[in-house]
């Protein structure tokens, strides 16, 4: 077309995706970097009628869709969302989680805590850095508890005149199953993990009896308003003491705890069969990472994902008062990054060539950056694309607004006119430069607000 310049750098391969029409818009400069691919949007046609000029803006959709805000998996997702096949296994899934086992009436004999002695064991699996494993106590008085602190296992108790605190040297928040055993006799205590590391300690006071009466046994967290004392007084995380973890095989003084039959519970579900650090998105939830994210003129980031669906939002940001937005999403099997500085949408799409695809059960890496009017995207550290806006004088993406990960609120119509379909799969190793000079790692199980269902204590694989 007239007034169009196509510049190809040395040793460059120009590829055209299958079933697409390659077009160049007026006054547009398309640059292809070494070992990069220059692409255009599929099935777009620009026609010039006699004495009439019809201009189609690049990568713009004019007809909004009404697709529900849920994803349809392309393949079976059992490898992503498989569950434990064993019984007597449960999972606490948030900082507000807990299982409560009353110790009144006949239940007092089922979960005995003797005055002078106590032995308890439980198996757990977590990737959280902090949270309660178990707790029994009276407000301001005696208590006995175990928790994860910075990945280490801590056992503490107080007979009424000062606590004993035993903590492991090693960390155990690696996503594997571990067995914790604690024993107490009068003032002395023992902590052992996996029949390996052993820690000893004792209280400094003269009292030897532990008086917790018939207070409940809590596993995986403590409900709001419960009696809390000792080491836990000032240790809530994100509004609660809960831990994202799986539990099984719990015994107190040789009595088995039926963990699947608590007296009360909150935010408890089944367990994954195996996990690795990351966040799992079953398709009906997302994370509001930052409520005041400000992209500005220059920003970059990266993440890794696994998916079993061809379509779903990975990352989305929009300023509803303007056209400004950017997004990273799967769309019909392709990976697309787009941004708008306020005038036109610049879109970069990577279409895998068979046998490669994004639903192959592998982790896929994507890095993106925007500098003024130019965007660069690298997929799987080998496919790099670069594209520039038609309006280089418009440099920044306005803000601040909310940055979403893994989806968008229900009934959201994105700036490109498409309905936001939630992502199905796992996301990990997210780095963002939220007004910082270099991207920083984002803790997915400690940052932002979860809307709907997202499991931030780990993914399968």
């Amino acid at each position: 077309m007239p007034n169009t310049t196509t510049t190809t750098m040395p040793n460059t391969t120009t590829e055209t995706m299958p079933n697409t029409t390659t077009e160049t818009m007026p006054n547009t400069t398309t640059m292809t970097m070494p070992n990069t691919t220059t692409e255009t949007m599929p099935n777009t046609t620009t026609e010039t009628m006699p004495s009439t000029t019809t201009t189609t803006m690049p990568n713009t959709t004019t007809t909004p869709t009404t697709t529900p805000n849920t994803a349809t998996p392309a393949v079976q997702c059992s490898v992503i969302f498989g569950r434990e096949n064993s019984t007597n296994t449960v999972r606490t899934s948030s900082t507000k989680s807990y299982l409560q086992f009353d110790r009144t009436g006949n239940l007092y004999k089922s979960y005995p805590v003797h005055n002078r002695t106590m032995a308890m064991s439980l198996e757990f699996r977590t990737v959280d850095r902090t949270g309660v494993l178990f707790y029994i106590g009276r407000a301001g008085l005696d208590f006995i508890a175990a928790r994860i602190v910075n990945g280490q296992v801590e056992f503490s108790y107080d007979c009424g005149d000062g606590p004993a605190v035993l903590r492991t040297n090693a960390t155990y928040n690696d996503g594997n199953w571990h067995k914790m055993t604690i024993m107490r006799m009068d003032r002395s205590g023992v902590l052992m993990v996996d029949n390996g590391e052993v820690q000893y300690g004792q209280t400094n006071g003269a009292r030897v009896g532990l008086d917790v009466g018939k207070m409940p046994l809590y596993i995986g967290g403590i409900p709001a308003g419960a009696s809390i004392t000792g080491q836990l007084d000032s240790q809530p995380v994100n509004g609660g003491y809960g831990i994202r973890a799986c539990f099984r095989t719990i015994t107190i003084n040789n009595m088995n705890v039926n963990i699947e039959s608590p007296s009360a519970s909150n935010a408890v579900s089944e367990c994954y069969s195996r996990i690795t650090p990351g966040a799992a998105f079953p398709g009906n939830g997302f994370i509001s990472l930052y409520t005041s994210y400000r992209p500005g003129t220059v920003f970059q980031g990266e993440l890794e994902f696994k998916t079993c669906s061809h379509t779903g939002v990975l990352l989305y940001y929009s300023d509803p008062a303007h056209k400004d937005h950017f997004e990273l999403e799967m769309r019909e099997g392709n990976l697309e990054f787009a941004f708008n500085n306020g005038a036109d949408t610049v879109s970069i799409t990577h279409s895998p060539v068979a046998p490669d695809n994004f639903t192959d059960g592998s982790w896929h890496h994507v890095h993106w950056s925007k500098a003024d009017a130019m965007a660069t995207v690298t997929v799987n550290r080998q496919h790099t694309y670069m594209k520039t806006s038609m309006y280089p004088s418009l440099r920044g993406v306005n803000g601040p607004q909310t940055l979403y990960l893994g989806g968008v609120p229900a009934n959201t119509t994105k700036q490109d006119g498409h309905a936001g379909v939630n992502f199905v799969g796992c996301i990990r190793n997210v780095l963002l430069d939220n007004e910082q000079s270099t991207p920083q790692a984002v803790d997915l199980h400690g940052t932002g607000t979860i809307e709907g269902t997202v499991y931030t204590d780990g993914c399968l694989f």
Side-chain angles (χ1 to χ4, degrees), residues 259-325:
I259 199 169
E260 293 182 317
S261 299
S263 306
S265 65
N266 183 61
V268 174
S269 62
E270 298 174 280
C271 252
Y272 289 133
S273 57
R274 58 196 183 280
I275 58 174
T276 190
F281 296 79
N284 60 344
F286 58 90
I287 303 176
S288 297
L289 274 182
Y290 302 110
T291 57
S292 298
Y293 186 75
R294 190 187 300 274
T297 59
V298 178
F299 62 86
Q300 63 176 316
E302 62 184 272
L303 59 79
E304 292 181 292
F305 69 94
K306 277 189 177 187
T307 186
C308 57
S309 181
H310 289 314
T311 298
V313 173
L314 289 162
L315 204 65
Y316 184 74
Y317 171 90
S318 173
D319 183 350
H322 306 84
K323 293 183 179 180
D324 300 34
H325 73 279

Side-chain angles (χ1 to χ4, degrees), residues 91-387:
R91 175 175 176 271
T92 50
S93 56
S94 81
T95 59
K96 304 295 181 62
S97 294
Y98 67 88
L99 295 104
Q100 176 178 323
F101 299 88
D102 290 339
R103 299 177 55 251
T104 57
N106 291 332
L107 294 176
Y108 182 73
K109 298 179 181 179
S110 299
Y111 312 120
V113 179
H114 302 316
N115 181 268
R116 302 285 296 272
T117 62
M118 177 179 174
M120 180 176 181
S121 68
L122 65 78
E123 295 183 39
F124 69 92
R125 186 184 66 194
T126 186
V127 294
D128 268 10
R129 290 177 54 83
T130 299
V132 169
L133 296 175
F134 86 89
Y135 177 82
I136 307 173
R138 302 171 66 183
L141 300 170
D142 301 10
F143 78 94
I144 186 166
R147 59 179 180 153
I148 298 293
V149 180
N150 295 324
Q152 299 163 294
V153 178
E154 178 187 275
F155 169 44
S156 60
Y157 58 94
D158 191 337
C159 296
D161 53 2
V165 180
L166 292 67
R167 187 180 295 182
T168 62
N169 294 316
T171 57
Y172 296 94
N173 61 334
D174 56 4
N176 296 316
W177 282 106
H178 298 286
K179 181 179 180 180
M180 177 200 73
T181 301
I182 60 100
M183 291 174 283
R184 186 194 70 85
M185 179 174 289
D186 295 338
R187 297 169 51 229
S188 300
V190 180
L191 167 63
M192 180 170 63
V193 180
D194 295 338
N195 296 318
E197 182 177 358
V198 181
Q199 297 292 334
Y200 301 91
Q202 63 179 21
T203 61
N204 293 322
R207 296 183 181 180
V208 295
L210 181 70
D211 182 11
V212 293
K214 295 184 179 181
M215 299 303 293
L217 162 68
Y218 297 111
I219 300 291
I222 304 171
S227 298
I228 301 173
T229 189
Q231 295 296 106
L232 304 179
D233 284 342
S234 59
Q235 301 295 328
V237 178
N238 290 340
Y241 294 95
I243 188 171
R244 302 170 180 91
C246 286
F247 294 92
R248 69 183 183 189
T249 317
I250 301 176
T251 64
I252 298 179
N253 291 331
N254 296 320
M255 299 291 291
N256 291 323
V257 175
N258 186 356
I259 199 169
E260 293 182 317
S261 299
S263 306
S265 65
N266 183 61
V268 174
S269 62
E270 298 174 280
C271 252
Y272 289 133
S273 57
R274 58 196 183 280
I275 58 174
T276 190
F281 296 79
N284 60 344
F286 58 90
I287 303 176
S288 297
L289 274 182
Y290 302 110
T291 57
S292 298
Y293 186 75
R294 190 187 300 274
T297 59
V298 178
F299 62 86
Q300 63 176 316
E302 62 184 272
L303 59 79
E304 292 181 292
F305 69 94
K306 277 189 177 187
T307 186
C308 57
S309 181
H310 289 314
T311 298
V313 173
L314 289 162
L315 204 65
Y316 184 74
Y317 171 90
S318 173
D319 183 350
H322 306 84
K323 293 183 179 180
D324 300 34
H325 73 279
F326 81 88
E327 63 183 296
L328 178 70
E329 72 172 325
M330 291 286 302
R331 184 178 294 174
E332 298 180 356
N334 302 320
L335 182 65
E336 179 176 302
F337 174 84
F339 79 92
N340 190 316
N341 283 343
D344 69 324
T345 296
V346 176
S347 180
I348 295 176
T349 301
H350 172 70
S351 300
V353 178
D356 294 338
N357 64 82
F358 288 116
T359 58
D360 58 1
S362 301
W363 286 104
H364 297 278
H365 178 271
V366 57
H367 178 276
W368 64 90
S369 64
K370 186 196 83 74
D372 298 331
M374 178 177 291
T376 304
V377 176
T378 301
V379 180
N380 291 331
R381 297 184 173 87
Q382 56 182 336
H383 304 287
T384 297
Y385 307 86
M386 180 178 289
K387 207 165 187 179

Side-chain angles (χ1 to χ4, degrees), residues 398-419:
N398 285 330
Q401 296 292 336
T402 301
L403 177 64
Y404 298 104
L405 180 74
V408 293
N411 302 319
T412 296
T413 298
K414 300 192 284 83
Q415 291 275 20
D416 60 6
H418 291 84

